[in-house]
Amino acid sequence: YELLSQRWSRHREQSPHVTVLIERFNEVSQWCVALILAQRIPEARAAVWQRLIAVAECLQRLNNFNSLL
């Protein structure tokens, strides 16, 4: 109901599950950025990026959407 009514966009306190999902997505996104930018050499950054994409594709094939986030 939280998603369908779009409560999370107006009243975050009334949609705790969506709020937690958004926070988790932001945490994982920031972790990925930090992981990539920790590499000084552009080739190493590209390698990390490719590895993250490979892991995401594998999780998608396994229908493991919780870990995919």
Side-chain angles (χ1 to χ4, degrees):
Y1 184 74
E2 293 175 30
L3 286 174
L4 294 177
S5 65
Q6 294 185 355
R7 268 194 185 158
W8 57 272
S9 63
R10 294 180 300 274
H11 307 286
R12 291 229 171 164
E13 66 279 352
Q14 293 179 0
S15 54
H17 301 100
V18 176
T19 302
V20 169
L21 180 67
I22 291 169
E23 289 172 359
R24 179 66 178 154
F25 177 83
N26 289 337
E27 288 172 1
V28 172
S29 297
Q30 291 173 1
W31 174 74
C32 290
V33 169
L35 194 61
I36 293 166
L37 294 179
Q39 308 301 316
R40 293 189 182 272
I41 302 168
E43 291 81 9
R45 288 182 179 180
V48 171
W49 175 252
Q50 290 173 344
R51 181 66 176 164
L52 289 172
I53 295 298
V55 169
E57 288 173 344
C58 182
L59 291 171
Q60 186 177 27
R61 278 194 307 276
L62 294 170
N63 291 328
N64 188 342
F65 301 111
N66 289 323
S67 296
L68 190 56
L69 274 178

